[in-house]
Amino acid sequence: MRPDEVVVSEPFAEAHRLKPGDSFDAILRGRKRNLQVVGAALSPEYVYAIAPGGLMPDDERFGVLWMGRDALAAAFDLKASFNSVTLSLLPDANAKDVIRRLDGLLSPFGGIGAYLRADQTSNWFLESEIAQQKNMSRIMPAIFLAVAAFLTNMVMARLIQTERREIGLLKAFGYGNWAIGWHYAKMVLVIGTIGILMGSVIGAWLGHWNTELYTQFYRFPFLLYRPGPAGFVVAGAISLGAALAGSLAAVRRAVRLPPAEAMQPPSPPIYRRTFAARTVLAGALDEPSRMILRRIIRWPVRAFLASLGLAMSVAVLIMALQWVDAIDSLAESVFERAQHQDATVAFSDLQPIGAIREFEHMPGVLAAEPYRFVSARINHGHLVERQGIIGVPTGAILSPVFDVERGRLEVPPGGLMLSVKLAELLEVKAGDTVAVELLEGRQPRVSLPVLRIFETYIGKPAYMDMAALNRIAGDGRVISGLHIRVDASSRTTLLTRLKDTPHIAAVLFRHAAIDTFYKTMGETILIFIGFFVAFSMTLSVGVTYNSIRIALSERARELATLRVLGFSRWEISYILLGEVGLLTWVAIPLGAVIGFGLAWYMTSAFETELYRVPLVLRDATYGEAALIALAATLACAAIVRRRLDRLDLIAVLKTRE
Amino acid sequence: MEKDASATALQARDLIKIYRMGTVEVHALRGVDVDLRDGELVVLLGPSGSGKSTLLNILGGLDRPTSGSVVFRDRELDMNNARTLNLYRRNHVGFVFQFYNLIPSLTARENVALVTEIARDPMPPSEALAMVGLGDRLDRFPAQLSGGEQQRVAIARAIAKRPDLLLCDEPTGALDSKTGILVLDAILRINRELGTTTALITHNAVIAEIANRVLYFADGRIVETRRNSGQRAPSELAW
Ligand SMILES: Nc1ncnc2c1ncn2[C@@H]1O[C@H](COP(=O)(O)OP(=O)(O)OP(=O)(O)O)[C@@H](O)[C@H]1O
Ligand SMILES: [Mg+2]
């Protein structure tokens, strides 16, 4: 490689449309250089590439460049040196011990502490992503499979019930119960096998698609969809089991009867006047409504399960939609309420505190507030967390310590303020003492009291009074960077000035951070929500369609009779659809309760050290979920209802069931 | 009883009904003219497949003829308008079928109320049930009633709206003779007391003796009309 040739990270190259042969300016250690792009590359270390102090990967504003070792050494005046080393250990090595000795070895040269692969940002991010997927893969298919099993069971039972007369006939011919059972089992096996094959193909295709999506999102060079047989076997076995159980129960009911009776139409279900029927309220009902209610009361389990299926669809919707609210609330808390700076300037090396003045006088800078950051390891008993400490000046207002409920908090002098997550990981309470090893400069070790604990949605930060932190670190009164407030009209001028200012590692604009946050979240969330809306629609359409179809097949005679009596098509539609309608109304509050539970479960399952999404459920979310569910039910009902128009009155009445 | 002078309740002219099944055509009605006079009780007799049910269904607005007209109280029914037919059934026609077609989830009283709720000038359900002799079975569900009782509930349901026409397709077909007589009694009583024009299909020639007029069907046509000189009471019949 020639000295000015670089390979750029692929996302960065794509964001800037950089092709081999293109060139751009960069400031290397305060000196502007023109660099030539010779290629784009991906690195597992930067699957999740975040700028120092950033929250999310921002492909446009943060990228990785690889250049020739000698050229880099020359640019930074650091011949024959290195600033990062990666090791692979023998299988039986004691990683903790290696880290301890490595730190001892490297600290004289400014080593800031080794860490395990598990703590590497990209790795750790992906691991937690995989953990979330695992959580999700446990709960969602379970819901879906349960509803599907219920539907299959219901449909198969009804299918066999219509064969009752044939079963009676077979018995009359002398077939035994087992023979008949086996005959129908074969039928169900054929239907079930076709269904399972179709489901497997569609499932495999969806799995493939999902994997593809992931590969693109994380830019994995490849990610293979290699489903084990377990998923197919479990799903197939449960579906087939439900189908067989439903149909064989119906067969059993039929073969238990003497053949003569089985060949007769089933004796009509026995209805009884319940207590409720005698109340005053019951008198106010019209007969069609009474028919709807009596049917529900007659088969309460079936009605409840159907309602539960619909409720699940509402619940899944609520869970998916609340995610939007939660993300909004998270962003609002982090970007609007906790931070008031317009930009953060991070220095490449520590600067004396006096450097503030230089920035205060730049065009458009309204206010500047310094901070100090020190990499550190915090120990409590046998627990260790690698977590840098942020030093905040007294009376900080631009970027103070912020508790999601209590708001801005003052940092008490002489001790640490830990986030709840960090306190949990270290098992400390306010008042405990922790051992802190700073990993920079003279690397002092001190015992510090934990003075306060606060809640935050992002990361697991630790704060300290800046002056106190500087005293412990012993580097004098220095700062790592500045938070600044900028006059909106001078932003471009300021940015140009900052680009030419030495010692600056990064400039992070808050509004850019918000944009990236929403862009990244937007992409993932839209896929996520889209998937769940589809999932929920499938549930509600499945339950609605099957319930109505079964009701129609069971009640065709009743409905035809009503038509003969002069009821209009709309009036009998009311009787047919009223049941599902009523079940939907029951399902909505039920779904709201389950949805709350599901959302709660998901937020706690999604809790990582990186971020915690708050459980935020607006009333409107319940409303939207209810409306979407209702719309699905209505659309589906409207389609099935059309069959009523083709109801053949005479054919139905001529036969005895 | 002299009925000839009374007005025509229903008049059908040149009714033809052809069922097409693929290439096969079944001529169920081959040009039928019928007049039903106000308050008259007509019995339709004829071999199976001769077109009796087809005629009754068309007269009651349940089915459409291939051609021909039906005039109800001087107004021709628009046989192609489902809404008109529905309103016609709702306001003017009561049906009784061989199978009772009661709603199993509703009690006797509620089955009748189903109709009285949508009718213009109905009688109370209990009164309709009393007319068919079921005043003491009001709160029974169909499954708790005998076949004859169920059929009488069906009759009560058909007449509770005080229809102009009562159309019965083999109402006693599924009943033994003793029960059948009870059912016929109920129909006759309604015909007399409410003056409801009634048409009744039966396979039982004996039953024809309760009618004012008997129409004999064969092969899609009315082949003979007989006027009974005197109606006999169902209780006098035996089969
Ligand atoms: N839906 C239909 N499709 C085809 N043909 C039909 C249909 N309904 C009736 N038919 C035919 O029309 C003719 C008349 O039938 P209809 O039911 O009116 O007879 P019916 O006199 O009532 O007989 P039964 O005394 O057996 O009830 C028969 O030949 C029958 O096969
Ligand atoms: Mg017939």
Side-chain angles (χ1 to χ4, degrees):
Chain A
M1 259 192 187
R2 294 213 313 267
D4 53 355
E5 284 178 348
V6 288
V7 170
V8 296
S9 55
E10 196 180 278
F12 184 78
E14 274 171 24
H16 291 277
R17 300 218 175 73
L18 291 174
K19 300 180 303 299
D22 291 351
S23 65
F24 57 89
D25 286 342
I27 296 168
L28 300 185
R29 192 131 214 202
R31 270 178 50 218
K32 191 179 269 189
R33 290 267 297 270
N34 188 271
L35 299 175
Q36 204 84 34
V37 178
V38 293
L42 288 169
S43 156
E45 259 181 293
Y46 295 103
V47 170
Y48 191 74
I50 341 176
L55 277 182
M56 309 230 133
D58 181 348
D59 297 344
E60 209 180 314
R61 297 181 186 84
F62 182 78
V64 182
L65 306 183
W66 288 272
M67 69 194 285
R69 195 177 170 136
D70 294 337
L72 189 67
F76 284 83
D77 279 337
L78 290 165
K79 292 226 165 56
S81 49
F82 65 94
N83 60 357
S84 165
V85 62
T86 319
L87 295 83
S88 53
L89 304 183
L90 289 171
D92 55 350
N94 179 344
K96 279 221 170 99
D97 189 46
V98 172
I99 286 179
R100 200 174 46 76
R101 284 164 48 200
L102 204 59
D103 283 353
L105 215 59
L106 293 177
S107 64
F109 305 99
I112 56 168
Y115 48 86
L116 291 170
R117 186 173 62 190
D119 295 325
Q120 201 271 337
T121 315
S122 285
N123 180 76
W124 170 69
F125 181 82
L126 282 182
E127 291 284 359
S128 60
E129 173 73 25
I130 291 168
Q132 288 176 351
Q133 292 288 326
K134 227 179 217 160
N135 259 321
M136 193 105 92
S137 74
R138 236 170 252 140
I139 187 151
M140 287 300 137
I143 292 179
F144 203 80
L145 208 53
V147 175
F150 159 65
L151 290 180
T152 324
N153 183 291
M154 200 164 83
V155 169
M156 282 300 177
R158 177 62 198 162
L159 196 72
I160 300 298
Q161 209 167 309
T162 58
E163 296 263 319
R164 193 182 133 112
R165 211 168 307 183
E166 284 75 2
I167 293 176
L169 209 60
L170 285 174
K171 275 198 79 173
F173 289 159
Y175 285 93
N177 292 354
W178 284 107
I180 295 173
W182 175 231
H183 166 77
Y184 282 99
K186 274 189 293 191
M187 182 180 96
V188 172
L189 282 174
V190 169
I191 298 177
T193 308
I194 294 173
I196 288 170
L197 284 180
M198 274 165 52
S200 301
V201 170
I202 297 173
W205 180 78
L206 277 175
H208 198 84
W209 179 69
N210 188 37
T211 313
E212 202 100 296
L213 222 58
Y214 253 80
T215 316
Q216 278 166 23
F217 189 77
Y218 287 108
R219 295 167 186 279
F220 295 130
F222 60 88
L223 180 64
L224 296 182
Y225 175 61
R226 285 275 169 76
F232 292 89
V233 170
V234 168
I238 290 182
S239 310
L240 204 58
L244 279 173
S247 43
L248 291 182
V251 171
R252 220 164 65 92
R253 278 195 296 274
V255 295
R256 261 212 313 249
L257 300 172
E261 204 181 325
M263 280 187 287
Q264 296 287 311
S267 50
I270 306 293
Y271 286 89
R272 246 169 268 109
R273 274 158 70 84
T274 54
F275 169 72
R278 280 184 282 265
T279 59
V280 190
L281 199 75
L285 280 179
D286 57 3
E287 303 308 326
S289 305
R290 212 188 299 280
M291 288 171 70
I292 294 172
L293 283 180
R294 291 247 167 92
R295 231 175 94 92
I296 291 178
I297 293 168
R298 179 68 181 72
W299 286 283
V301 175
R302 185 166 80 173
F304 174 74
L305 288 177
S307 214
L308 194 63
L310 290 170
M312 280 302 176
S313 106
V314 176
V316 168
L317 267 180
I318 289 177
M319 196 257 322
L321 294 179
Q322 81 91 30
W323 214 249
V324 180
D325 302 340
I327 296 290
D328 273 342
S329 146
L330 185 149
E332 197 219 26
S333 167
V334 173
F335 296 115
E336 308 289 337
R337 300 200 294 129
Q339 302 183 357
H340 303 283
Q341 78 274 27
D342 293 308
T344 299
V345 178
F347 300 137
S348 45
D349 325 284
L350 294 175
Q351 297 295 316
I353 196 158
I356 304 177
R357 226 149 301 132
E358 184 194 339
F359 286 88
E360 275 173 342
H361 290 121
M362 283 189 183
V365 173
L366 302 176
E369 182 180 283
Y371 69 90
R372 168 84 208 262
F373 177 84
V374 190
S375 304
R377 249 196 306 253
I378 305 176
N379 304 272
H380 182 241
H382 63 285
L383 298 166
V384 189
E385 281 298 316
R386 225 182 102 88
Q387 173 61 52
I389 298 171
I390 302 168
V392 180
T394 331
I397 43 162
L398 293 188
S399 191
V401 180
F402 186 85
D403 180 275
V404 294
E405 267 158 32
R406 292 173 289 174
R408 181 183 173 281
L409 297 179
E410 200 56 63
V411 185
L416 284 169
M417 264 180 96
L418 302 187
S419 51
V420 170
K421 188 79 206 173
L422 185 60
E424 275 171 20
L425 290 168
L426 288 169
E427 294 175 11
V428 296
K429 326 180 281 303
D432 291 352
T433 303
V434 291
V436 176
E437 313 165 53
L438 298 188
L439 300 171
E440 289 174 18
R442 295 183 293 147
Q443 306 203 332
R445 289 159 171 265
V446 283
S447 281
L448 287 173
V450 174
L451 297 178
R452 276 178 113 165
I453 304 227
F454 67 98
E455 180 65 281
T456 177
Y457 293 138
I458 296 202
K460 49 177 175 75
Y463 286 94
M464 225 183 138
D465 178 67
M466 190 169 89
L469 184 60
N470 270 334
R471 261 196 306 281
I472 297 170
D475 299 316
R477 300 179 65 210
V478 290
I479 57 177
S480 312
L482 289 168
H483 300 294
I484 51 178
R485 263 192 94 76
V486 183
D487 179 19
S489 58
S490 330
R491 276 186 52 191
T492 12
T493 341
L494 178 67
L495 197 59
T496 329
R497 264 295 285 283
L498 288 177
K499 274 189 175 165
D500 294 327
T501 310
H503 314 300
I504 292 181
V507 180
L508 298 159
F509 279 93
R510 187 168 59 110
H511 85 99
I514 298 175
D515 287 353
T516 329
F517 178 81
Y518 275 107
K519 211 175 124 248
T520 318
M521 277 299 182
E523 276 173 25
T524 25
I525 290 292
L526 272 186
I527 295 174
F528 175 87
I529 290 177
F531 174 72
F532 280 108
V533 169
F535 175 66
S536 144
M537 293 294 99
T538 316
L539 288 183
S540 89
V541 168
V543 174
T544 311
Y545 180 81
N546 284 298
S547 301
I548 302 177
R549 276 300 285 127
I550 287 178
L552 182 59
S553 108
E554 287 174 356
R555 314 183 76 178
R557 194 178 185 79
E558 266 176 53
L559 297 174
T561 303
L562 292 172
R563 287 284 281 145
V564 170
L565 293 177
F567 279 75
S568 71
R569 284 203 288 252
W570 286 107
E571 284 161 340
I572 60 166
S573 301
Y574 167 69
I575 294 173
L576 179 67
L577 307 179
E579 186 181 335
V580 170
L582 196 65
L583 295 182
T584 310
W585 282 117
V586 176
I588 287 171
L590 188 62
V593 173
I594 301 174
F596 180 86
L598 213 55
W600 177 84
Y601 173 80
M602 276 304 191
T603 23
S604 44
F606 265 52
E607 183 187 310
T608 64
E609 292 172 25
L610 189 65
Y611 63 91
R612 290 160 294 284
V613 179
L615 178 62
V616 183
L617 271 161
R618 290 177 307 134
D619 292 347
T621 304
Y622 290 112
E624 284 158 20
L627 282 180
I628 296 177
L630 272 180
T633 311
L634 275 178
C636 189
I639 291 167
V640 186
R641 197 211 69 85
R642 300 232 310 265
R643 285 168 185 267
L644 283 183
D645 299 347
R646 298 197 296 268
L647 201 62
D648 186 342
L649 305 187
I650 300 158
V652 170
L653 296 173
K654 241 190 320 211
T655 54
R656 179 170 197 156
E657 295 272 310
Chain B
M1 243 185 284
E2 189 52 70
K3 297 266 168 127
D4 276 334
S6 57
T8 305
L10 192 71
Q11 186 182 60
R13 283 294 169 268
D14 203 22
L15 289 181
I16 293 179
K17 178 72 180 180
I18 302 170
Y19 288 107
R20 289 201 174 77
M21 297 185 297
T23 53
V24 186
E25 287 193 348
V26 179
H27 292 258
L29 296 179
R30 301 170 186 268
V32 172
D33 296 333
V34 194
D35 289 291
L36 296 181
R37 298 189 168 278
D38 259 344
E40 193 181 22
L41 175 62
V42 174
V43 163
L44 284 73
L45 272 176
S48 187
S50 55
K52 307 180 294 292
S53 298
T54 306
L55 175 67
L56 209 69
N57 290 339
I58 291 173
L59 294 184
L62 272 183
D63 202 356
R64 281 200 297 245
T66 310
S67 70
S69 67
V70 177
V71 177
F72 174 72
R73 293 201 189 289
D74 304 326
R75 279 190 31 212
E76 181 166 350
L77 290 178
D78 179 357
M79 288 306 220
N80 289 315
N81 186 332
R83 229 181 100 73
T84 312
L85 291 184
N86 191 53
L87 285 175
Y88 168 62
R89 292 199 298 269
R90 183 176 190 143
N91 295 322
H92 304 291
V93 189
F95 283 102
V96 178
F97 296 96
Q98 179 177 359
F99 310 114
Y100 329 119
N101 293 318
L102 296 179
I103 306 295
S105 58
L106 298 180
T107 61
R109 189 211 305 262
E110 289 160 354
N111 260 285
V112 178
L114 200 56
V115 170
T116 58
E117 270 171 11
I118 60 166
R120 285 174 181 167
D121 173 32
M123 61 178 90
S126 51
E127 189 184 325
L129 284 162
M131 283 194 81
V132 295
L134 288 176
D136 55 343
R137 301 275 196 279
L138 296 178
D139 290 327
R140 296 241 188 134
F141 284 96
Q144 300 162 328
L145 293 168
S146 74
E149 287 169 336
Q150 287 187 52
Q151 188 61 301
R152 283 187 282 159
V153 174
I155 294 169
R157 187 176 66 180
I159 56 94
K161 62 179 162 194
R162 306 182 202 275
D164 300 290
L165 278 176
L166 178 62
L167 305 179
C168 312
D169 195 341
E170 299 185 43
T172 58
L175 303 172
D176 64 35
S177 74
K178 201 166 138 251
T179 330
I181 286 166
L182 283 177
V183 166
L184 291 176
D185 256 334
I187 293 172
L188 205 65
R189 184 163 169 213
I190 281 138
N191 173 253
R192 293 244 171 89
E193 292 183 10
L194 303 178
T196 312
T197 311
T198 307
L200 188 150
I201 295 178
T202 180
H203 277 271
N204 191 334
V206 180
I207 292 176
E209 295 184 23
I210 67 166
N212 301 117
R213 243 180 345 137
V214 185
L215 307 180
Y216 289 90
F217 257 78
D219 197 21
R221 288 195 184 85
I222 298 176
V223 290
E224 192 195 332
T225 306
R226 180 170 60 103
R227 179 167 302 279
N228 282 341
S229 45
Q231 281 173 281
R232 290 181 58 190
S235 49
E236 299 167 27
L237 308 178
W239 67 85

Coordinates of all heavy atoms in Angstrom, one line a residue, chain A residues 65-107:
Chain A
L65 N -11.0 3.4 9.0 CA -10.1 3.4 7.8 C -8.9 2.5 8.2 O -8.4 2.5 9.3 CB -9.5 4.8 7.6 CG -10.5 6.0 7.4 CD1 -9.7 7.2 7.1 CD2 -11.4 5.7 6.3
W66 N -8.5 1.7 7.2 CA -7.3 0.9 7.4 C -6.2 1.5 6.5 O -6.5 1.7 5.3 CB -7.5 -0.5 7.0 CG -8.4 -1.3 8.0 CD1 -8.0 -1.9 9.2 CD2 -9.8 -1.4 8.0 NE1 -9.0 -2.5 9.8 CE2 -10.2 -2.2 9.1 CE3 -10.8 -1.0 7.1 CZ2 -11.5 -2.6 9.4 CZ3 -12.1 -1.4 7.4 CH2 -12.5 -2.1 8.5
M67 N -5.0 1.7 7.0 CA -4.0 2.2 6.1 C -2.7 1.4 6.4 O -2.6 0.8 7.4 CB -3.8 3.7 6.1 CG -3.2 4.3 7.4 SD -3.5 6.1 7.3 CE -2.3 6.6 6.2
G68 N -1.7 1.6 5.5 CA -0.4 0.9 5.7 C 0.2 1.2 7.1 O 0.1 2.3 7.5
R69 N 0.8 0.2 7.7 CA 1.3 0.4 9.0 C 2.4 1.5 9.1 O 2.4 2.3 10.0 CB 1.9 -1.0 9.5 CG 2.1 -1.0 10.9 CD 2.6 -2.3 11.4 NE 3.0 -2.1 12.8 CZ 2.8 -3.0 13.7 NH1 2.1 -4.1 13.5 NH2 3.2 -2.7 14.9
D70 N 3.2 1.4 8.1 CA 4.3 2.4 8.1 C 3.8 3.8 7.9 O 4.2 4.8 8.5 CB 5.3 2.1 7.0 CG 6.0 0.8 7.3 OD1 6.1 0.4 8.5 OD2 6.5 0.1 6.4
A71 N 2.9 3.9 7.0 CA 2.3 5.3 6.7 C 1.6 5.8 7.9 O 1.8 7.0 8.3 CB 1.3 5.2 5.6
L72 N 0.9 4.9 8.7 CA 0.2 5.4 9.9 C 1.2 5.8 10.9 O 1.1 6.8 11.6 CB -0.7 4.2 10.4 CG -1.6 4.6 11.5 CD1 -2.7 5.6 11.0 CD2 -2.3 3.4 12.1
A73 N 2.3 5.0 11.1 CA 3.3 5.2 12.0 C 3.9 6.6 11.7 O 4.2 7.4 12.6 CB 4.4 4.1 12.0
A74 N 4.2 6.8 10.5 CA 4.8 8.1 10.1 C 3.8 9.3 10.4 O 4.3 10.3 10.9 CB 5.1 8.1 8.6
A75 N 2.6 9.1 10.1 CA 1.6 10.2 10.3 C 1.5 10.5 11.8 O 1.3 11.7 12.1 CB 0.2 9.7 9.7
F76 N 1.7 9.5 12.6 CA 1.5 9.8 14.0 C 2.8 9.8 14.8 O 2.8 9.9 16.0 CB 0.5 8.8 14.7 CG -0.9 9.0 14.3 CD1 -1.4 8.6 13.1 CD2 -1.7 9.7 15.2 CE1 -2.7 8.8 12.8 CE2 -3.0 9.9 14.9 CZ -3.6 9.5 13.6
D77 N 3.9 9.8 14.1 CA 5.2 9.9 14.7 C 5.4 8.8 15.7 O 6.0 9.0 16.8 CB 5.4 11.3 15.4 CG 5.8 12.3 14.4 OD1 6.4 11.9 13.3 OD2 5.6 13.5 14.6
L78 N 4.9 7.7 15.4 CA 5.1 6.6 16.4 C 5.6 5.4 15.7 O 4.9 4.4 15.3 CB 3.7 6.2 17.0 CG 3.1 7.3 17.9 CD1 1.6 7.0 18.2 CD2 3.8 7.2 19.3
K79 N 6.9 5.3 15.5 CA 7.5 4.2 14.8 C 7.7 3.0 15.7 O 7.8 3.2 16.9 CB 8.9 4.6 14.3 CG 8.8 5.7 13.2 CD 9.8 5.3 12.0 CE 9.4 6.1 10.8 NZ 9.5 7.6 11.0
A80 N 7.5 1.8 15.2 CA 7.7 0.6 15.9 C 6.9 0.6 17.2 O 7.4 0.2 18.3 CB 9.2 0.4 16.2
S81 N 5.6 1.0 17.1 CA 4.8 0.9 18.3 C 3.4 0.4 17.9 O 3.1 0.2 16.7 CB 4.7 2.3 18.9 OG 4.3 3.2 17.9
F82 N 2.6 0.1 18.9 CA 1.3 -0.4 18.7 C 0.4 0.2 19.7 O 0.8 0.5 20.8 CB 1.2 -1.9 18.6 CG 1.5 -2.6 19.9 CD1 0.5 -2.9 20.8 CD2 2.9 -2.9 20.3 CE1 0.8 -3.5 22.0 CE2 3.2 -3.5 21.5 CZ 2.2 -3.8 22.4
N83 N -0.9 0.3 19.4 CA -1.8 0.8 20.5 C -3.0 -0.2 20.8 O -3.9 0.1 21.4 CB -2.3 2.2 20.2 CG -3.1 2.2 18.9 OD1 -3.2 1.2 18.2 ND2 -3.6 3.4 18.5
S84 N -2.9 -1.4 20.1 CA -4.0 -2.3 20.4 C -3.5 -3.7 20.1 O -2.7 -3.8 19.1 CB -5.2 -2.0 19.6 OG -6.1 -3.1 19.6
V85 N -3.8 -4.7 20.9 CA -3.3 -6.0 20.6 C -4.4 -7.0 20.9 O -5.2 -6.8 21.8 CB -2.0 -6.3 21.4 CG1 -2.3 -6.3 22.9 CG2 -1.4 -7.7 21.0
T86 N -4.5 -8.0 20.0 CA -5.6 -9.0 20.1 C -4.9 -10.3 20.3 O -3.9 -10.6 19.7 CB -6.4 -9.0 18.8 OG1 -6.6 -7.7 18.4 CG2 -7.7 -9.7 19.0
L87 N -5.4 -11.1 21.3 CA -4.8 -12.4 21.6 C -5.8 -13.5 21.4 O -7.0 -13.3 21.7 CB -4.3 -12.4 23.0 CG -3.2 -11.5 23.5 CD1 -3.8 -10.1 23.8 CD2 -2.5 -12.1 24.7
S88 N -5.3 -14.6 21.0 CA -6.2 -15.8 21.2 C -5.5 -16.7 22.2 O -4.3 -16.9 22.2 CB -6.5 -16.5 19.9 OG -5.3 -16.8 19.2
L89 N -6.4 -17.3 23.1 CA -5.8 -18.1 24.2 C -6.0 -19.6 23.9 O -6.8 -20.0 23.1 CB -6.6 -17.7 25.5 CG -6.6 -16.2 25.9 CD1 -7.4 -16.1 27.2 CD2 -5.2 -15.7 26.0
L90 N -5.1 -20.3 24.6 CA -5.2 -21.8 24.5 C -6.6 -22.2 25.2 O -7.1 -21.5 26.0 CB -4.1 -22.4 25.2 CG -2.7 -22.3 24.5 CD1 -1.6 -22.8 25.4 CD2 -2.8 -23.1 23.2
P91 N -7.1 -23.3 24.8 CA -8.4 -23.6 25.3 C -8.5 -23.7 26.8 O -9.5 -23.3 27.4 CB -8.7 -25.0 24.7 CG -7.7 -25.2 23.6 CD -6.6 -24.2 23.8
D92 N -7.4 -24.1 27.5 CA -7.5 -24.3 28.9 C -7.0 -23.1 29.7 O -6.7 -23.1 30.9 CB -6.8 -25.6 29.3 CG -5.4 -25.6 28.8 OD1 -5.0 -24.7 28.0 OD2 -4.6 -26.5 29.3
A93 N -6.7 -22.0 29.0 CA -6.1 -20.8 29.6 C -7.1 -20.2 30.6 O -8.3 -20.2 30.3 CB -5.6 -19.8 28.6
N94 N -6.6 -19.6 31.6 CA -7.5 -18.8 32.6 C -7.5 -17.4 32.1 O -6.6 -16.6 32.3 CB -6.9 -19.0 34.0 CG -7.7 -18.2 35.0 OD1 -8.6 -17.3 34.6 ND2 -7.5 -18.5 36.3
A95 N -8.6 -17.0 31.5 CA -8.7 -15.7 30.9 C -8.5 -14.6 31.9 O -7.8 -13.6 31.6 CB -10.0 -15.5 30.2
K96 N -9.1 -14.7 33.1 CA -9.0 -13.7 34.1 C -7.5 -13.4 34.4 O -7.1 -12.3 34.6 CB -9.8 -14.1 35.3 CG -11.3 -13.8 35.2 CD -11.8 -13.3 36.5 CE -13.2 -12.8 36.3 NZ -14.2 -13.7 36.8
D97 N -6.8 -14.5 34.6 CA -5.4 -14.4 35.0 C -4.6 -13.8 33.9 O -3.8 -12.9 34.2 CB -4.9 -15.9 35.3 CG -3.6 -15.9 35.9 OD1 -3.4 -15.1 36.8 OD2 -2.7 -16.6 35.4
V98 N -4.9 -14.2 32.6 CA -4.2 -13.6 31.5 C -4.4 -12.1 31.5 O -3.4 -11.3 31.4 CB -4.6 -14.2 30.2 CG1 -4.0 -13.4 29.0 CG2 -4.3 -15.7 30.1
I99 N -5.6 -11.6 31.7 CA -5.9 -10.2 31.7 C -5.1 -9.5 32.8 O -4.6 -8.4 32.6 CB -7.5 -10.0 31.9 CG1 -8.2 -10.4 30.6 CG2 -7.8 -8.5 32.3 CD1 -9.6 -10.2 30.6
R100 N -5.1 -10.1 34.0 CA -4.4 -9.5 35.1 C -3.0 -9.3 34.8 O -2.4 -8.2 34.9 CB -4.6 -10.3 36.4 CG -4.4 -9.6 37.7 CD -4.7 -10.5 38.9 NE -4.1 -11.9 38.7 CZ -2.8 -12.1 38.9 NH1 -1.9 -11.2 39.2 NH2 -2.3 -13.3 38.7
R101 N -2.3 -10.3 34.2 CA -0.9 -10.2 33.9 C -0.6 -9.3 32.7 O 0.4 -8.6 32.7 CB -0.3 -11.6 33.7 CG -0.2 -12.3 35.1 CD 0.0 -13.7 35.1 NE 1.0 -14.2 34.1 CZ 1.1 -15.4 33.7 NH1 0.2 -16.3 34.1 NH2 2.0 -15.8 32.8
L102 N -1.5 -9.4 31.8 CA -1.4 -8.5 30.6 C -1.4 -7.0 31.0 O -0.7 -6.2 30.6 CB -2.5 -8.8 29.6 CG -2.3 -8.5 28.1 CD1 -1.1 -9.2 27.6 CD2 -3.5 -8.8 27.3
D103 N -2.4 -6.7 31.9 CA -2.5 -5.4 32.4 C -1.3 -4.9 33.1 O -0.8 -3.8 32.9 CB -3.7 -5.2 33.3 CG -5.0 -5.2 32.6 OD1 -5.0 -5.1 31.3 OD2 -6.1 -5.3 33.2
G104 N -0.7 -5.8 33.9 CA 0.5 -5.5 34.6 C 1.6 -5.2 33.6 O 2.4 -4.3 33.8
L105 N 1.7 -6.0 32.6 CA 2.7 -5.9 31.5 C 2.6 -4.6 30.8 O 3.6 -3.9 30.5 CB 2.5 -7.0 30.6 CG 3.8 -7.7 30.0 CD1 4.7 -8.2 31.0 CD2 3.3 -8.8 29.0
L106 N 1.3 -4.2 30.4 CA 1.1 -3.1 29.5 C 0.9 -1.7 30.2 O 1.1 -0.7 29.6 CB -0.1 -3.4 28.6 CG 0.1 -4.5 27.6 CD1 -1.1 -4.8 26.8 CD2 1.3 -4.2 26.7
S107 N 0.5 -1.8 31.5 CA 0.2 -0.5 32.1 C 1.3 0.5 32.1 O 1.1 1.7 31.9 CB -0.4 -0.7 33.5 OG 0.6 -1.3 34.3

